[in-house]
Amino acid sequence: LFRPSVTLQWGFLPQWELGIELPFLHFEGGFLDEFIQDYHNFFGFPNAGREFVPNGRFSYVISQNGQPLYSVGAVPFRPSDLVLHVKRQFLKDEGAAPAVAATFYLKLPTGSKSHGTGSGMLDAGVNVAVQKSYKRLHGYANLGGAILGATDFGLQDFLNTYLWNWMAALELTAWSHHLGVIGQIQGDGSLFDGTG
């Protein structure tokens, strides 16, 4: 899956920003299947069902009791769902206080459901970001959530209505602000429920 995007952002007041993102999606089978299977076999890792699919094939299938509910194959570059956002910075990284900003997102269903490049749903989300720096050490944390719109994919019994995500990172900058080492952990809630 390759997802480049065109993003425009406009700071219209000292603490406010508007943005629009037009992503593009491209699905293809890739070329590393055999290497990944050999790697998993060598270390005894689970193969995640790769042995049931030919190498170099892209396939995204959601099925229930053996019956496909939704399926997407390889897709050339196509536009995906348009994302609008408004962001406000509440605090700056000054003294003991960290920088704090919140972003509200709205995803418009402009992509293609049949090609897998759009959900067909209007979704909304919010993200709160915190940053604190001390000399060459920088800490970052994000906490976000999204509300998914109604779907007509036939997946209502499986899709969660709410999603959450989080991220925490530490960065150590080197001799200049252009070079650094970052350690990051992140997690999120599952899009699907009741799938085992």
Side-chain angles (χ1 to χ4, degrees), residues 10 17-18 22 49 102 131 153 162 164 173 186 191-192:
W10 176 48
E17 173 186 288
L18 286 176
L22 175 59
Q131 174 185 334
F153 280 126
Y162 307 99
W164 58 269
T173 54
Q186 61 191 44
L191 178 62
F192 299 106

Side-chain angles (χ1 to χ4, degrees), residues 3-7 21-24:
R3 185 189 183 273
S5 67
V6 176
T7 303
E21 177 190 24
L22 175 59
F24 293 84

